[in-house]
Amino acid sequence: IRLQGFTVSGSGLALAKIPVEQDAAYWEWHVNLPGLPRYPDDGDENDDEGRMQSINMDDDNDNNNEGEDPYALKFGVATRKDRHFYKSLENVEEEGDEASSRDDGTVLMRPIPNLRHNDVIGVAVQQSDLPMIQFLLNGEPLPECTINRFRGTVYPAVYIPPGAAECGGDRIDDDEGISLTVEFDEDHFREMSPHARFGPLLAARGIL
């Protein structure tokens, strides 16, 4: 994984430094993928429907569905990780083995396939009442990806799987390949949160 300020590239798991402590928080991931321009926004519902066909999550599973796109980027939250965790994950990736979502730290994350340049992934975390993590793609809710319960201190996180730059059969040079920029400042949000109670994550300063 490569980090530059709030931008993530390469492959691996990255967590923000600041935990989600407020009752309702929202942040965005802005996708930079120069080789794959965003689908034209021409109001054709069939295009959106085609993009959503492969998103079919069951919130009771461990995020490791059969038929899941192995190159889909994962978004959500994760618990704090130590150096031993990252070293173990690196070893698994180097050996070409597949780690479960619990092993790779993505159990509280969801894959979102078929991303394009300038796509916006919104993440809304609610902790009071019923803890819940909601996901949005370009402002549209992804109810199939909702996580309805979680416990413990969590941090905004993203996971770029090895080989993600080749997803969909489109070869992308790693030096100019996919990168993600996390945005915690509401003045720079491109989309609306799902409800007014979801404010920007407080005290966010960088990425681990």
PDB file of all heavy atoms in Angstrom, residues 121-148:
ATOM      1  N   ILE A 121     -17.643   7.057  -3.392  1.00  0.00           N
ATOM      2  CA  ILE A 121     -18.187   6.094  -2.439  1.00  0.00           C
ATOM      3  C   ILE A 121     -18.425   6.822  -1.123  1.00  0.00           C
ATOM      4  O   ILE A 121     -17.495   7.345  -0.511  1.00  0.00           O
ATOM      5  CB  ILE A 121     -17.216   4.922  -2.195  1.00  0.00           C
ATOM      6  CG1 ILE A 121     -16.826   4.264  -3.517  1.00  0.00           C
ATOM      7  CG2 ILE A 121     -17.837   3.913  -1.236  1.00  0.00           C
ATOM      8  CD1 ILE A 121     -17.974   3.708  -4.301  1.00  0.00           C
ATOM      9  N   GLY A 122     -19.669   6.879  -0.694  1.00  0.00           N
ATOM     10  CA  GLY A 122     -20.002   7.478   0.585  1.00  0.00           C
ATOM     11  C   GLY A 122     -20.164   6.403   1.651  1.00  0.00           C
ATOM     12  O   GLY A 122     -20.737   5.349   1.387  1.00  0.00           O
ATOM     13  N   VAL A 123     -19.640   6.676   2.842  1.00  0.00           N
ATOM     14  CA  VAL A 123     -19.769   5.747   3.966  1.00  0.00           C
ATOM     15  C   VAL A 123     -20.411   6.499   5.127  1.00  0.00           C
ATOM     16  O   VAL A 123     -19.911   7.551   5.543  1.00  0.00           O
ATOM     17  CB  VAL A 123     -18.404   5.177   4.401  1.00  0.00           C
ATOM     18  CG1 VAL A 123     -18.586   4.173   5.535  1.00  0.00           C
ATOM     19  CG2 VAL A 123     -17.689   4.523   3.222  1.00  0.00           C
ATOM     20  N   ALA A 124     -21.517   5.984   5.631  1.00  0.00           N
ATOM     21  CA  ALA A 124     -22.235   6.609   6.747  1.00  0.00           C
ATOM     22  C   ALA A 124     -22.319   5.613   7.902  1.00  0.00           C
ATOM     23  O   ALA A 124     -22.855   4.521   7.741  1.00  0.00           O
ATOM     24  CB  ALA A 124     -23.639   7.032   6.311  1.00  0.00           C
ATOM     25  N   VAL A 125     -21.770   6.006   9.039  1.00  0.00           N
ATOM     26  CA  VAL A 125     -21.724   5.119  10.208  1.00  0.00           C
ATOM     27  C   VAL A 125     -22.623   5.683  11.303  1.00  0.00           C
ATOM     28  O   VAL A 125     -22.485   6.849  11.699  1.00  0.00           O
ATOM     29  CB  VAL A 125     -20.285   4.963  10.737  1.00  0.00           C
ATOM     30  CG1 VAL A 125     -20.263   4.124  12.004  1.00  0.00           C
ATOM     31  CG2 VAL A 125     -19.399   4.319   9.673  1.00  0.00           C
ATOM     32  N   GLN A 126     -23.521   4.854  11.797  1.00  0.00           N
ATOM     33  CA  GLN A 126     -24.436   5.218  12.881  1.00  0.00           C
ATOM     34  C   GLN A 126     -24.142   4.309  14.070  1.00  0.00           C
ATOM     35  O   GLN A 126     -24.083   3.091  13.929  1.00  0.00           O
ATOM     36  CB  GLN A 126     -25.873   5.034  12.403  1.00  0.00           C
ATOM     37  CG  GLN A 126     -26.920   5.139  13.491  1.00  0.00           C
ATOM     38  CD  GLN A 126     -28.310   4.859  12.949  1.00  0.00           C
ATOM     39  OE1 GLN A 126     -28.732   5.432  11.953  1.00  0.00           O
ATOM     40  NE2 GLN A 126     -29.029   3.957  13.603  1.00  0.00           N
ATOM     41  N   GLN A 127     -23.942   4.905  15.246  1.00  0.00           N
ATOM     42  CA  GLN A 127     -23.599   4.106  16.422  1.00  0.00           C
ATOM     43  C   GLN A 127     -24.668   4.097  17.501  1.00  0.00           C
ATOM     44  O   GLN A 127     -24.740   3.159  18.288  1.00  0.00           O
ATOM     45  CB  GLN A 127     -22.269   4.599  17.015  1.00  0.00           C
ATOM     46  CG  GLN A 127     -21.112   4.539  16.020  1.00  0.00           C
ATOM     47  CD  GLN A 127     -19.770   4.474  16.699  1.00  0.00           C
ATOM     48  OE1 GLN A 127     -19.388   3.445  17.211  1.00  0.00           O
ATOM     49  NE2 GLN A 127     -19.053   5.584  16.684  1.00  0.00           N
ATOM     50  N   SER A 128     -25.503   5.124  17.571  1.00  0.00           N
ATOM     51  CA  SER A 128     -26.570   5.129  18.562  1.00  0.00           C
ATOM     52  C   SER A 128     -27.728   4.271  18.067  1.00  0.00           C
ATOM     53  O   SER A 128     -27.841   3.986  16.880  1.00  0.00           O
ATOM     54  CB  SER A 128     -27.062   6.559  18.797  1.00  0.00           C
ATOM     55  OG  SER A 128     -27.542   7.120  17.584  1.00  0.00           O
ATOM     56  N   ASP A 129     -28.598   3.865  18.985  1.00  0.00           N
ATOM     57  CA  ASP A 129     -29.718   2.987  18.646  1.00  0.00           C
ATOM     58  C   ASP A 129     -29.164   1.688  18.040  1.00  0.00           C
ATOM     59  O   ASP A 129     -28.536   0.915  18.719  1.00  0.00           O
ATOM     60  CB  ASP A 129     -30.688   3.687  17.694  1.00  0.00           C
ATOM     61  CG  ASP A 129     -31.276   4.948  18.285  1.00  0.00           C
ATOM     62  OD1 ASP A 129     -31.490   4.971  19.515  1.00  0.00           O
ATOM     63  OD2 ASP A 129     -31.506   5.912  17.540  1.00  0.00           O
ATOM     64  N   LEU A 130     -29.405   1.483  16.769  1.00  0.00           N
ATOM     65  CA  LEU A 130     -28.910   0.279  16.101  1.00  0.00           C
ATOM     66  C   LEU A 130     -27.648   0.627  15.314  1.00  0.00           C
ATOM     67  O   LEU A 130     -27.705   1.364  14.327  1.00  0.00           O
ATOM     68  CB  LEU A 130     -29.970  -0.269  15.139  1.00  0.00           C
ATOM     69  CG  LEU A 130     -29.557  -1.481  14.296  1.00  0.00           C
ATOM     70  CD1 LEU A 130     -29.302  -2.684  15.193  1.00  0.00           C
ATOM     71  CD2 LEU A 130     -30.620  -1.786  13.251  1.00  0.00           C
ATOM     72  N   PRO A 131     -26.473   0.129  15.742  1.00  0.00           N
ATOM     73  CA  PRO A 131     -25.243   0.406  14.990  1.00  0.00           C
ATOM     74  C   PRO A 131     -25.381  -0.075  13.548  1.00  0.00           C
ATOM     75  O   PRO A 131     -25.837  -1.187  13.291  1.00  0.00           O
ATOM     76  CB  PRO A 131     -24.182  -0.400  15.752  1.00  0.00           C
ATOM     77  CG  PRO A 131     -24.726  -0.536  17.130  1.00  0.00           C
ATOM     78  CD  PRO A 131     -26.215  -0.664  16.950  1.00  0.00           C
ATOM     79  N   MET A 132     -24.986   0.782  12.615  1.00  0.00           N
ATOM     80  CA  MET A 132     -25.198   0.475  11.205  1.00  0.00           C
ATOM     81  C   MET A 132     -24.154   1.185  10.358  1.00  0.00           C
ATOM     82  O   MET A 132     -23.722   2.294  10.669  1.00  0.00           O
ATOM     83  CB  MET A 132     -26.612   0.925  10.787  1.00  0.00           C
ATOM     84  CG  MET A 132     -26.951   0.700   9.323  1.00  0.00           C
ATOM     85  SD  MET A 132     -28.585   1.392   8.901  1.00  0.00           S
ATOM     86  CE  MET A 132     -29.655   0.441   9.995  1.00  0.00           C
ATOM     87  N   ILE A 133     -23.742   0.522   9.281  1.00  0.00           N
ATOM     88  CA  ILE A 133     -22.843   1.129   8.295  1.00  0.00           C
ATOM     89  C   ILE A 133     -23.560   1.092   6.954  1.00  0.00           C
ATOM     90  O   ILE A 133     -23.963   0.028   6.482  1.00  0.00           O
ATOM     91  CB  ILE A 133     -21.507   0.370   8.204  1.00  0.00           C
ATOM     92  CG1 ILE A 133     -20.856   0.282   9.582  1.00  0.00           C
ATOM     93  CG2 ILE A 133     -20.570   1.067   7.219  1.00  0.00           C
ATOM     94  CD1 ILE A 133     -19.652  -0.640   9.637  1.00  0.00           C
ATOM     95  N   GLN A 134     -23.751   2.267   6.359  1.00  0.00           N
ATOM     96  CA  GLN A 134     -24.422   2.378   5.072  1.00  0.00           C
ATOM     97  C   GLN A 134     -23.417   2.825   4.005  1.00  0.00           C
ATOM     98  O   GLN A 134     -22.458   3.529   4.293  1.00  0.00           O
ATOM     99  CB  GLN A 134     -25.562   3.392   5.144  1.00  0.00           C
ATOM    100  CG  GLN A 134     -26.618   3.065   6.187  1.00  0.00           C
ATOM    101  CD  GLN A 134     -27.666   4.153   6.290  1.00  0.00           C
ATOM    102  OE1 GLN A 134     -28.395   4.422   5.335  1.00  0.00           O
ATOM    103  NE2 GLN A 134     -27.751   4.783   7.455  1.00  0.00           N
ATOM    104  N   PHE A 135     -23.695   2.421   2.763  1.00  0.00           N
ATOM    105  CA  PHE A 135     -22.812   2.744   1.647  1.00  0.00           C
ATOM    106  C   PHE A 135     -23.617   3.391   0.523  1.00  0.00           C
ATOM    107  O   PHE A 135     -24.768   3.035   0.285  1.00  0.00           O
ATOM    108  CB  PHE A 135     -22.116   1.484   1.125  1.00  0.00           C
ATOM    109  CG  PHE A 135     -21.287   0.777   2.164  1.00  0.00           C
ATOM    110  CD1 PHE A 135     -21.872  -0.156   3.005  1.00  0.00           C
ATOM    111  CD2 PHE A 135     -19.946   1.068   2.314  1.00  0.00           C
ATOM    112  CE1 PHE A 135     -21.124  -0.810   3.978  1.00  0.00           C
ATOM    113  CE2 PHE A 135     -19.192   0.423   3.291  1.00  0.00           C
ATOM    114  CZ  PHE A 135     -19.775  -0.512   4.115  1.00  0.00           C
ATOM    115  N   LEU A 136     -22.973   4.331  -0.164  1.00  0.00           N
ATOM    116  CA  LEU A 136     -23.609   5.003  -1.290  1.00  0.00           C
ATOM    117  C   LEU A 136     -22.616   5.073  -2.449  1.00  0.00           C
ATOM    118  O   LEU A 136     -21.412   5.264  -2.235  1.00  0.00           O
ATOM    119  CB  LEU A 136     -24.052   6.418  -0.920  1.00  0.00           C
ATOM    120  CG  LEU A 136     -25.010   6.562   0.275  1.00  0.00           C
ATOM    121  CD1 LEU A 136     -24.227   6.808   1.563  1.00  0.00           C
ATOM    122  CD2 LEU A 136     -25.989   7.715   0.050  1.00  0.00           C
ATOM    123  N   LEU A 137     -23.118   4.916  -3.661  1.00  0.00           N
ATOM    124  CA  LEU A 137     -22.308   5.059  -4.865  1.00  0.00           C
ATOM    125  C   LEU A 137     -22.846   6.234  -5.658  1.00  0.00           C
ATOM    126  O   LEU A 137     -23.984   6.207  -6.126  1.00  0.00           O
ATOM    127  CB  LEU A 137     -22.356   3.776  -5.706  1.00  0.00           C
ATOM    128  CG  LEU A 137     -21.669   3.825  -7.069  1.00  0.00           C
ATOM    129  CD1 LEU A 137     -20.184   4.168  -6.944  1.00  0.00           C
ATOM    130  CD2 LEU A 137     -21.853   2.507  -7.812  1.00  0.00           C
ATOM    131  N   ASN A 138     -22.046   7.295  -5.747  1.00  0.00           N
ATOM    132  CA  ASN A 138     -22.450   8.514  -6.435  1.00  0.00           C
ATOM    133  C   ASN A 138     -23.796   9.035  -5.926  1.00  0.00           C
ATOM    134  O   ASN A 138     -24.656   9.471  -6.692  1.00  0.00           O
ATOM    135  CB  ASN A 138     -22.503   8.289  -7.957  1.00  0.00           C
ATOM    136  CG  ASN A 138     -21.159   7.882  -8.524  1.00  0.00           C
ATOM    137  OD1 ASN A 138     -20.112   8.358  -8.070  1.00  0.00           O
ATOM    138  ND2 ASN A 138     -21.154   6.997  -9.502  1.00  0.00           N
ATOM    139  N   GLY A 139     -23.956   8.966  -4.604  1.00  0.00           N
ATOM    140  CA  GLY A 139     -25.153   9.496  -3.964  1.00  0.00           C
ATOM    141  C   GLY A 139     -26.315   8.530  -3.885  1.00  0.00           C
ATOM    142  O   GLY A 139     -27.306   8.820  -3.208  1.00  0.00           O
ATOM    143  N   GLU A 140     -26.217   7.386  -4.557  1.00  0.00           N
ATOM    144  CA  GLU A 140     -27.301   6.403  -4.543  1.00  0.00           C
ATOM    145  C   GLU A 140     -27.029   5.332  -3.485  1.00  0.00           C
ATOM    146  O   GLU A 140     -25.952   4.723  -3.483  1.00  0.00           O
ATOM    147  CB  GLU A 140     -27.450   5.740  -5.917  1.00  0.00           C
ATOM    148  CG  GLU A 140     -27.881   6.697  -7.018  1.00  0.00           C
ATOM    149  CD  GLU A 140     -29.257   7.287  -6.761  1.00  0.00           C
ATOM    150  OE1 GLU A 140     -30.129   6.555  -6.237  1.00  0.00           O
ATOM    151  OE2 GLU A 140     -29.464   8.469  -7.076  1.00  0.00           O
ATOM    152  N   PRO A 141     -27.980   5.086  -2.582  1.00  0.00           N
ATOM    153  CA  PRO A 141     -27.773   4.069  -1.534  1.00  0.00           C
ATOM    154  C   PRO A 141     -27.559   2.681  -2.125  1.00  0.00           C
ATOM    155  O   PRO A 141     -28.124   2.336  -3.161  1.00  0.00           O
ATOM    156  CB  PRO A 141     -29.075   4.131  -0.728  1.00  0.00           C
ATOM    157  CG  PRO A 141     -29.679   5.460  -1.055  1.00  0.00           C
ATOM    158  CD  PRO A 141     -29.291   5.762  -2.458  1.00  0.00           C
ATOM    159  N   LEU A 142     -26.737   1.903  -1.430  1.00  0.00           N
ATOM    160  CA  LEU A 142     -26.515   0.498  -1.777  1.00  0.00           C
ATOM    161  C   LEU A 142     -27.028  -0.347  -0.605  1.00  0.00           C
ATOM    162  O   LEU A 142     -26.251  -0.807   0.222  1.00  0.00           O
ATOM    163  CB  LEU A 142     -25.024   0.231  -2.015  1.00  0.00           C
ATOM    164  CG  LEU A 142     -24.340   1.042  -3.116  1.00  0.00           C
ATOM    165  CD1 LEU A 142     -22.852   0.731  -3.155  1.00  0.00           C
ATOM    166  CD2 LEU A 142     -24.989   0.759  -4.477  1.00  0.00           C
ATOM    167  N   PRO A 143     -28.337  -0.548  -0.507  1.00  0.00           N
ATOM    168  CA  PRO A 143     -28.908  -1.242   0.660  1.00  0.00           C
ATOM    169  C   PRO A 143     -28.394  -2.674   0.807  1.00  0.00           C
ATOM    170  O   PRO A 143     -28.342  -3.204   1.913  1.00  0.00           O
ATOM    171  CB  PRO A 143     -30.413  -1.206   0.396  1.00  0.00           C
ATOM    172  CG  PRO A 143     -30.556  -0.981  -1.078  1.00  0.00           C
ATOM    173  CD  PRO A 143     -29.385  -0.141  -1.470  1.00  0.00           C
ATOM    174  N   GLU A 144     -28.007  -3.304  -0.317  1.00  0.00           N
ATOM    175  CA  GLU A 144     -27.506  -4.678  -0.248  1.00  0.00           C
ATOM    176  C   GLU A 144     -26.194  -4.771   0.517  1.00  0.00           C
ATOM    177  O   GLU A 144     -25.810  -5.847   0.984  1.00  0.00           O
ATOM    178  CB  GLU A 144     -27.305  -5.242  -1.658  1.00  0.00           C
ATOM    179  CG  GLU A 144     -28.545  -5.248  -2.531  1.00  0.00           C
ATOM    180  CD  GLU A 144     -28.740  -3.944  -3.282  1.00  0.00           C
ATOM    181  OE1 GLU A 144     -28.018  -2.965  -2.972  1.00  0.00           O
ATOM    182  OE2 GLU A 144     -29.604  -3.901  -4.175  1.00  0.00           O
ATOM    183  N   CYS A 145     -25.498  -3.645   0.636  1.00  0.00           N
ATOM    184  CA  CYS A 145     -24.189  -3.637   1.281  1.00  0.00           C
ATOM    185  C   CYS A 145     -24.252  -3.239   2.755  1.00  0.00           C
ATOM    186  O   CYS A 145     -23.239  -3.267   3.448  1.00  0.00           O
ATOM    187  CB  CYS A 145     -23.262  -2.669   0.541  1.00  0.00           C
ATOM    188  SG  CYS A 145     -22.888  -3.150  -1.157  1.00  0.00           S
ATOM    189  N   THR A 146     -25.411  -2.840   3.235  1.00  0.00           N
ATOM    190  CA  THR A 146     -25.533  -2.343   4.602  1.00  0.00           C
ATOM    191  C   THR A 146     -25.086  -3.377   5.632  1.00  0.00           C
ATOM    192  O   THR A 146     -25.407  -4.561   5.523  1.00  0.00           O
ATOM    193  CB  THR A 146     -26.984  -1.935   4.888  1.00  0.00           C
ATOM    194  OG1 THR A 146     -27.361  -0.891   3.986  1.00  0.00           O
ATOM    195  CG2 THR A 146     -27.149  -1.452   6.320  1.00  0.00           C
ATOM    196  N   ILE A 147     -24.335  -2.914   6.612  1.00  0.00           N
ATOM    197  CA  ILE A 147     -23.920  -3.739   7.748  1.00  0.00           C
ATOM    198  C   ILE A 147     -24.755  -3.295   8.945  1.00  0.00           C
ATOM    199  O   ILE A 147     -24.701  -2.134   9.341  1.00  0.00           O
ATOM    200  CB  ILE A 147     -22.419  -3.585   8.038  1.00  0.00           C
ATOM    201  CG1 ILE A 147     -21.603  -4.056   6.822  1.00  0.00           C
ATOM    202  CG2 ILE A 147     -22.024  -4.368   9.286  1.00  0.00           C
ATOM    203  CD1 ILE A 147     -20.123  -3.778   6.939  1.00  0.00           C
ATOM    204  N   ASN A 148     -25.525  -4.198   9.508  1.00  0.00           N
ATOM    205  CA  ASN A 148     -26.521  -3.822  10.513  1.00  0.00           C
ATOM    206  C   ASN A 148     -26.041  -3.887  11.952  1.00  0.00           C
ATOM    207  O   ASN A 148     -26.764  -3.504  12.852  1.00  0.00           O
ATOM    208  CB  ASN A 148     -27.774  -4.685  10.359  1.00  0.00           C
ATOM    209  CG  ASN A 148     -28.601  -4.266   9.152  1.00  0.00           C
ATOM    210  OD1 ASN A 148     -28.774  -3.087   8.902  1.00  0.00           O
ATOM    211  ND2 ASN A 148     -29.091  -5.235   8.399  1.00  0.00           N
TER     212      ASN A 148
END
